[in-house]
């Protein structure tokens, strides 16, 4: 009943209810349509703003000359917005507002944020001084759109606005560069298989002495083992690779280190206060003996003492029987006429030879080709020494030699005659280089007098002995006088990359407080084969390719005490052979006529070439080459990195770089340039000494290479290659640079990126453990620095794992427990670049090195697990121009990896 | 009369006013609007959205639009691996009938709807409509026929006015709260986004309504005309809005945190309807979505916008208006 009644009462109510429901439904639809339109319009407005902001931000750069490109950025951003439509209506330029600003790190809040005060609508404004580049672009779209159903509520239109802010995403980037010794493996002086044939040159320059005893070497093209030249790569037993060096000629690895007028590695300060190339003087008319203020390379054909290009300057090597048509002579006996045969007679003495020697035109020096300079080495030595004195008790013949051990009779090598370079100003002869440049030791019976005993200078095998008080001492002042007299192959002063090697060529080396003298003593010792103040003979490595390991021909050294007074007196004609003089009155010969010591290879050459080898030698004295040199492969790296730094400056205005070097040298265990944007300093740091980086504006700021204790003092200060390969050091430095601990400038919120460059396999580990208990505050420390290093061996597993552990640490989450630098938003990344000669070989070292670098990238989240090598674009090989280009490209690709410009609003 | 007795009277008047609202259809009207908006919110959805990357407090939520990533031939997954969001997916309206691509995380778009509902619909149109709809309540209450009955009760006249005033406020604000709560729930259920800032609309609307209802009450005791109340209140609202806007324009133009003495004095005395809207829209970051009449960010930088003081002075103004209205009511001879 009730139901029936209810039905009855409800009759006629459906229509009104339906009407009400329909009205509600229509209201909802109306609301949906209008809000939908708003949402669509809003989406399209946002899209336009996004595109405009991204366009603007991408066009901002680090070019200060164009005010960071603000004009093009703002204009293009606005234009980009007008290419969009909102509800089928194009965005008008009046509906777009573009502001340029800065996305800066707020150190107190420890976060990046747009700096509201920096924003400007100007298209020409500069950022506030010292605040960096423009790094943000903001685009605002404001358009009015009509409503449809909201009109019933009196709302006829709505304003749609959208704002987008695009920024250069900040990154903290550590450039980790390998400065280990192998980074100069294309600029190494010599190679040594450890065999009996000694150390040989890695210089491909064909201009080397080819006269005298140097004729004994077969050509490089024939045997491939010419000790004076090498044109092919040399793979060491370790698997590492040496390319022919670029000391005196350009190679595939770089321009000549000796320099050129256009690219002087070494400079000299001339009399007018200008720096000119030290070893290269462009001139017309060929070789000149006028060297000041710089040295000129001699004609290349002087390798054969030819007069074709220019008249040869100096003494030519002696020939058999003194006949230039014959082969070169090895001994006095061979210089003299073929008969009589002297054999091993220790009385034998030729009075004409002993009186006239090499004749009136003898100079006391021979010039080498190109950069070899000059040498006083001549075998046999000219016998003329001292005064011309008749043989006691006779009137004829005369000789010069026998009485030089009498004080006052010997010539004075410090006062050479201006008319005859092998006589002194008192006309006493100084033609025998043995006595001119070496004198008896302080404990010798003839202390201080000229050496005239082959057994004092050479041991029985013909090798130069060590100087000692009982043997001989080098007459440094005499050598320096000789260097400065006649053709001077050295510039008056020598500098390179703010390293001062010498300010003047000294007269003596007695003072340890005069650093010019210290430098020259070490150089002379080096050229003679004597290293260090102790005066010990250098071993083969340290003395470069200096000497023969055996005699040229039959070696023989005869002690002066064995030469018989009153022995046979020989003539140069058949009629006066075997003439016997009065025993006891007839003097002994100046030396045994068959004496034949070992010959020097590059020893005894005083010139730019040996000077360069001395400076660049990686022996116990260190590598003194300046950072500005074309030491290869190091300079290729520097050139490529310099370009990369320019790229970062120009295209990544919100990135901070830190420049880090590594090797086993402890001097590299602090950042070269700490995190920031001082790009000029970074580029300077590639080339100039670390301690001068803040003073390079003062051209007078120079550093001496050697101190008064004869020690090289610029190790790891000058950016050159030396030491073992210790990437662990580089990664630890990078970790610290990302930190915000006191003294470090890591920026929270900036993505962390390491770029490792290395040319070899790790072989050195590094102390220093992770200390500090929090993310961004921990540091690798060991007595306030990255710890000392320990060489282990190439490819040692522990060494490589230690380095990889630091990579892993960098990429860990940034929480207190893990103390890494990765977040979801800013994952830390580590890239690895393989660089240089090793990667052009097929050795196991190459395989090991590539696998290590791949592992670095796997741990560094830039390569998938299982990789065995970095990507091909990260393997830098080829000639030097190719390497520089590909290295720059590799850096640029890495820098462009990820997403550089994003929207933050 | 004791205070409990006064409160009793006020409570009775509140109940009476609510009954009056129901009788006048105000309650059902507002409920209908609420229901319509709830239905609309239930029709909102998010489809195929890419999850947003975790973001540390100090990190920016970097993103690039999906279309931009595609234009640059960047794999969205690779971009995300670098810590950059590539928003994807659609906002759907009316139960999927309308699809709008998401340019940002869906929370932005949901906030857009909230801004429209709270800032546009409720706090502006809703307030004005409520003022109009309730404009007859106080004049009707003060009609001699009605008032004589009330005045016969042993209660102070001011308490009667306050009671009626409170009744209207409660009726409207309760509806506003229900509106906010239900639309918030509906959006939250459909999108999974629960932005509590939306509830800031309730106190803001409360202050907004109270201030201008006090104006309406003041006009009512003088005119006892619903039309005068409605129009007068709207005129005052528009005038105050203009004054409010002018003051901020001056501040923005000069870059100082205050205007000249005359404008500044008038600004601080008068109700500030623009400020109430700014408080709400600023909290919901409406400037990201709409062109705003005032650059609120710049105003904040200058220090020319003091939201708490603005609210407080609004309440003081309402108290003053009610005081004046009560004083007038107590002197009316019925």
């Amino acid at each position: 009943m009730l139901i029936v009644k209810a039905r009855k009462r409800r009759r006629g109510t459906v229509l009104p209810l339906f009407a009400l429901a329909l009205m509600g439904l229509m209201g909802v639809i109306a609301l949906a349509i209008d809000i939908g339109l708003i949402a669509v319009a809003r989406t399209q407005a946002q899209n336009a703003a996004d595109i405009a902001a991204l366009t603007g931000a991408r066009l901002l750069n680090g070019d200060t000359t164009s005010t960071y490109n603000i004009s093009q950025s703002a204009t293009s951003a606005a234009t980009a917005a007008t290419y969009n439509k909102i509800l089928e209506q194009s965005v008008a330029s009046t509906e777009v507002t573009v502001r340029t600003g800065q996305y800066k790190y707020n150190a107190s809040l420890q976060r990046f944020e747009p700096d509201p005060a920096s924003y400007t609508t100007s298209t020409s404004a500069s950022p506030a001084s010292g605040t960096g580049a423009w790094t943000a672009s903001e685009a605002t779209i404001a358009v009015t759109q009509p409503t449809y159903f909201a009109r019933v509520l009196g709302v006829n239109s709505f304003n749609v606005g959208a704002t987008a802010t695009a920024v250069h995403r900040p990154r903290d980037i550590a450039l980790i560069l390998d400065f280990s010794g192998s980074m100069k493996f294309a600029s190494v002086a010599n190679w040594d298989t450890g065999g009996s044939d000694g150390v040989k040159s890695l210089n491909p320059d064909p201009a080397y002495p080819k006269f005298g005893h140097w004729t004994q070497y077969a050509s490089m093209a024939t045997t491939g083992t010419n000790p004076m030249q090498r044109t092919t790569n040399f793979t060491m037993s370790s698997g590492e690779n040496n390319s022919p060096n670029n000391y005196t000629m350009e190679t595939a690895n770089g321009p000549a280190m000796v320099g050129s007028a256009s690219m002087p590695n070494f400079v000299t300060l001339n009399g007018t206060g200008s720096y000119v190339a030290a070893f290269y003087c462009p001139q017309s008319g060929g070789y000149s003996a006028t060297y000041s203020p710089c040295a000129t390379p001699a004609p290349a054909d002087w390798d054969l003492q030819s007069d074709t290009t220019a008249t040869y300057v100096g003494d030519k090597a002696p020939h058999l029987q003194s006949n230039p048509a014959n082969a070169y002579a090895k001994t006095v006996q061979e210089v003299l006429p073929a008969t009589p045969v002297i054999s091993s007679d220790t009385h034998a003495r030729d009075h004409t030879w002993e009186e006239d020697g090499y004749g009136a035109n003898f100079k006391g020096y021979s010039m080498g080709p190109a950069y070899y300079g000059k040498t006083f080495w001549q075998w046999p030595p000219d016998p003329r020494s001292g005064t011309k004195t008749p043989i006691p008790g006779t009137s004829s013949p005369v000789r010069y030699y026998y009485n030089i051990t009498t004080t006052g009779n010997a010539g004075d090598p410090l006062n050479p005659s201006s008319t005859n370079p092998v006589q002194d100003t008192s006309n006493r002869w100084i033609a025998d280089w043995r006595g001119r440049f070496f004198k008896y030791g302080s404990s010798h019976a003839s202390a201080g007098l000229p050496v005239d005993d082959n057994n004092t200078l050479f041991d029985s095998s013909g090798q130069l002995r060590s100087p000692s008080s009982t043997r001989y001492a080098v007459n440094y002042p005499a050598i320096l006088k000789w260097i400065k007299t006649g053709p001077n192959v050295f510039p008056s002063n020598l500098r390179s990359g703010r390293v001062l090697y010498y300010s003047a060529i000294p007269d003596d080396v007695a003072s340890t407080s005069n650093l010019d003298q210290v430098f020259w003593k070490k150089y002379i010792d080096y050229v003679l084969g004597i290293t260090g103040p102790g005066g010990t003979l250098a071993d083969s490595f340290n003395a470069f390719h200096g000497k023969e390991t055996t005699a040229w021909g039959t070696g023989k050294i005869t002690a002066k005490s064995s030469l018989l007074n009153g022995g046979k007196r020989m003539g140069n004609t058949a009629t006066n052979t075997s003439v016997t003089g009065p025993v006891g009155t007839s003097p002994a010969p100046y030396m045994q006529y068959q004496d034949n010591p070992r010959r020097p290879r590059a020893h005894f050459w005083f010139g730019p070439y040996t000077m360069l080898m001395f400076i660049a030698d990686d022996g116990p004295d260190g590598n003194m080459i300046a950072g500005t040199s074309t030491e290869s492969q190091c300079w290729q790296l520097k050139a490529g990195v310099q370009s990369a730094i320019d790229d970062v400056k120009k295209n990544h205005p919100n990135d901070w770089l830190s420049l880090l070097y590594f090797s086993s040298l402890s001097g590299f265990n602090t950042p070269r340039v700490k995190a920031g944007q001082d790009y000029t300093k970074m580029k300077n740091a590639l080339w100039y000494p670390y301690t001068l980086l803040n003073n390079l504006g003062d051209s007078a700021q120079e550093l001496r290479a050697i101190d008064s204790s004869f020690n090289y003092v610029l190790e790891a200060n000058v950016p050159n290659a030396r030491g073992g390969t210790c990437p662990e050091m580089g990664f630890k430095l990078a970790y610290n640079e990302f930190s915000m601990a006191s003294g470090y400038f890591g920026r929270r919120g900036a993505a962390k990126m390491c770029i490792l460059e290395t040319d070899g396999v790790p072989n050195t580990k590094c102390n220093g453990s992770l200390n500090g208990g929090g993310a961004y505050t921990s540091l690798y420390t060991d007595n306030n620095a990255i710890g000392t290093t320990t060489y282990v061996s190439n490819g040692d597993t522990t060494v490589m794992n230690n380095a990889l552990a630091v990579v892993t640490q960098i990429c860990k989450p940034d929480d207190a427990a893990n103390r890494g630098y990765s977040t979801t938003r800013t994952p830390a990344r580590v890239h690895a670049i393989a660089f240089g000669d090793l990667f052009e070989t097929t050795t196991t070292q190459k395989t090991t090195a590539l696998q290590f670098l791949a592992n670095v990238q796997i741990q560094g989240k830039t390569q998938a697990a299982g990789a065995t090598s970095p990507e091909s674009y990260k393997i830098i090989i080829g000639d030097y121009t190719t390497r520089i280009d590909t290295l720059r490209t590799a850096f640029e690709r890495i820098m462009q990896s990820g997403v550089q410009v994003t929207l933050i609003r | 009369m004791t205070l409990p007795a006064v409160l009793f009277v006020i409570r009775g008047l509140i109940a009476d006013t609510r009954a009056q609202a129901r009788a006048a259809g105000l309650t059902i009207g507002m409920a209908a609007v609420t229901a319509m908006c709830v239905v609309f919110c239930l029709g909102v959805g998010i489809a195929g959205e890419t999850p947003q990357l975790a973001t540390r407090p100090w990190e920016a939520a970097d993103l690039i639009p999906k279309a931009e990533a595609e234009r640059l031939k960047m794999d969205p997954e690779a971009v995300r691996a670098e810590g950059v969001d590539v928003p994807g997916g659609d906002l759907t309206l009316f139960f999927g009938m309308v699809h709008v691509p998401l340019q940002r995380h869906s929370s932005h778009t949901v906030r857009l709807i909230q801004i429209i509902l709270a800032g546009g619909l409720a706090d502006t149109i809703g307030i004005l409509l409520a003022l109009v709809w309730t404009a007859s309540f106080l004049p009707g209450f003060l009609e001699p026929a009605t008032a004589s009955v009330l005045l016969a009760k042993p209660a102070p006249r001011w308490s009667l006015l306050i009671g009626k005033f409170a009744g209207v406020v409660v009726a409207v604000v309760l509806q506003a709260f229900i509106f906010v709560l239900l639309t918030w729930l509906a959006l939250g259920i459909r999108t999974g986004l629960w932005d509590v800032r939306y509830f800031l609309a309730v106190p803001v609307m409360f202050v907004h309504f109270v201030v201008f209802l006090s104006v309406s009450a003041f006009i009512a005791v003088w005119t006892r005309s619903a039309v005068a109340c409605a129009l007068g209140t709207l005129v005052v609202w528009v005038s105050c809005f203009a004054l409010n806007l002018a003051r901020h324009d001056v501040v923005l133009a000069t870059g100082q945190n205050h205007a000249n003495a005359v404008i500044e004095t008038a600004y601080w005395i008068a109700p500030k309807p623009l400020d109430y809207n700014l408080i709400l829209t600023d909290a919901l970051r409406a400037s990201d979505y709409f062109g705003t009449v005032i650059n609120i960010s710049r105003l904040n930088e200058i220090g020319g916008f003091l939201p708490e003081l603005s609210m407080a002075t609004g309440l003081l103004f309402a108290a003053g208006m009610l005081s004046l209205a009560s004083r007038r009511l107590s002197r009316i001879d019925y």
Side-chain angles (χ1 to χ4, degrees), chain A residues 651-664:
Chain A
N651 297 316
H652 306 281
N654 222 357
D655 287 354
W656 276 20
L657 283 186
S658 52
L659 189 62
L660 314 171
Y661 298 166
F662 72 85
S663 81
S664 60

Side-chain angles (χ1 to χ4, degrees), chain A residues 24 27-29 31-32 35-36 38-40 42-43 46-47 50 54 58 103 110-111 116 155 159-164 169 748-749 776 814-815 823-827 829 898-899 901-905, chain B residues 36-37 39-40 52-65 68 71-72 74 79 81-85 91 93-94 100-101 103-104 112-113 116-117 121 125 285 287-291 301:
Chain A
V28 172
I29 293 172
L31 191 63
I35 292 181
I38 292 173
V40 170
R42 151 77 188 153
T43 296
Q46 187 66 61
N47 187 48
D50 289 352
L54 286 167
R58 286 201 184 102
Y103 187 53
Q110 297 185 355
R111 61 175 298 157
V155 180
N159 294 324
V160 170
T163 298
R169 231 175 156 218
R748 198 197 291 263
Y776 301 99
D814 71 340
D815 52 51
T823 71
T824 304
R825 287 285 180 189
T826 57
R829 299 281 190 250
V899 185
V901 174
T902 59
L903 295 163
I904 59 166
R905 181 187 173 198
Chain B
M36 188 174 71
C37 291
V39 170
F40 170 77
Q52 196 171 25
L53 294 170
T55 307
R56 299 275 198 186
W58 59 85
E59 291 177 329
D62 301 75
L63 64 95
I64 60 171
E68 183 71 359
R71 191 180 70 80
L72 297 174
M74 299 168 78
V79 174
E82 292 301 316
V84 178
D85 274 319
L91 169 76
L93 298 172
F94 201 51
V100 181
Q103 291 290 104
R104 296 288 189 274
L112 168 70
I113 295 170
I116 294 171
L117 294 176
L121 193 62
I125 298 172
R285 297 199 58 172
S287 59
D288 287 354
Y289 307 87
F290 297 98
E301 287 166 27

Side-chain angles (χ1 to χ4, degrees), chain A residues 731-753:
Chain A
F731 287 131
K732 285 179 173 176
L733 287 171
Y735 180 94
N736 288 359
E737 279 305 289
F738 296 153
S739 171
M740 298 192 302
S742 177
Y744 295 88
F745 306 109
R747 301 175 299 170
R748 198 197 291 263
K752 313 300 182 191
M753 179 193 284

Side-chain angles (χ1 to χ4, degrees), chain A residues 621-625 705-707 710-716 718 720:
Chain A
D621 290 320
N623 178 5
M624 295 190 289
I625 199 73
I706 299 173
D707 69 2
F710 294 88
N711 294 321
Y712 174 56
V713 292
L714 300 181
E715 188 170 83
V718 168
N720 60 27

Side-chain angles (χ1 to χ4, degrees), chain A residues 245-270:
Chain A
N245 70 44
N246 60 332
Y247 278 25
T248 59
M249 65 176 284
E250 180 168 330
T251 69
N253 280 300
M257 290 174 71
V258 78
S260 66
S262 60
M263 191 174 182
N265 280 354
F266 294 92
V267 295
T268 189
L269 191 59
N270 66 15

